[in-house]
Amino acid sequence: MDGLDLLKKDWNKQEVQDKLTTKDILPMLHKKSSSIVKLLFYISIAELVFWTLVNSIPYFTSETYKNKLDSIYSNGLMIGLTFFSYVVILVFIFLLYKSYKSISVTDNIKSLMKSIINTRKIIKYYVLYNLIMIGISMIIGFYYSSHYDPNVIKAIESAGMSMYIVISIIVSVVFIVVIWLFYRLIYGLLLKRLNTNYNELKKLEI
């Protein structure tokens, strides 16, 4: 067999390999992307249940915590804020579910890429919203503690309001950073895998 025949054989083999690669990779990326978004959906539900339990269990097991919460929630603002927060989180979860269903029924590259982009936006805004709400809730909590919690009021009288504000800011920043790191670890890793799938799809589209 001369050089030309060998070149033709290699060329044909490469052509078949490319076709098979495109044909095989798309379903694989579709399945992987669907599984990732499904996992994100389950994590968001688990997170909602977790925070609900964290806030509700101490209420029924600790009289001190119950009294503290009752004093905070005696104001309609906090009740409205909590209700609004849960509504928004449920909307995010619903959008994530829709994104999962959209990816599940997608049968072409462009639609799958669009669904991945949409999922990334949902997670980005979901995390940002939660961090903002945590910050607002902590500010309100510190404010009410400084006005209605006898122990905190005594501490402020001995240490001063400026020290209380500084400590409150430090605690809030540390807590928000810890939550952000948690989100970055859980959601970040999954979004990174989703981004990898997106980049692979871009190559297939080209």
Side-chain angles (χ1 to χ4, degrees), residues 90-191:
L90 288 172
V91 169
F92 274 121
I93 291 174
F94 174 71
L95 291 175
L96 204 53
Y97 175 75
K98 279 187 67 177
S99 182
Y100 160 65
K101 296 298 290 184
S102 175
I103 287 180
S104 297
V105 299
T106 295
D107 58 358
N108 62 76
I109 293 176
K110 284 187 177 180
S111 297
L112 184 54
M113 290 174 68
K114 185 178 178 181
S115 295
I116 289 175
I117 291 173
N118 186 48
T119 302
R120 291 190 308 193
K121 286 180 180 178
I122 291 171
I123 294 298
K124 176 184 174 182
Y125 292 128
Y126 175 74
V127 170
L128 181 62
Y129 170 79
N130 280 339
L131 292 176
I132 291 172
M133 288 306 297
I134 288 171
I136 293 174
S137 298
M138 292 192 73
I139 290 171
I140 294 174
F142 283 126
Y143 173 80
Y144 275 92
S145 295
S146 66
H147 285 75
Y148 300 104
D149 190 323
N151 295 325
V152 174
I153 292 172
K154 286 181 182 179
I156 291 173
E157 289 174 353
S158 61
M161 179 59 76
S162 298
M163 181 61 68
Y164 176 73
I165 292 173
V166 171
I167 293 174
S168 299
I169 291 173
I170 293 173
V171 170
S172 299
V173 170
V174 169
F175 185 73
I176 290 172
V177 168
V178 169
I179 297 298
W180 176 77
L181 289 173
F182 167 78
Y183 281 135
R184 189 168 180 81
L185 176 64
I186 302 299
Y187 291 107
L189 288 174
L190 292 173
L191 286 179

Side-chain angles (χ1 to χ4, degrees), residues 46-70:
E47 183 190 350
L48 177 62
V49 172
F50 171 76
W51 286 116
T52 301
L53 291 175
V54 165
N55 289 316
S56 60
I57 290 177
Y59 182 84
F60 295 104
T61 57
S62 171
E63 192 66 29
T64 303
Y65 185 81
K66 181 179 182 298
N67 293 334
K68 191 177 293 186
L69 274 187
D70 286 341

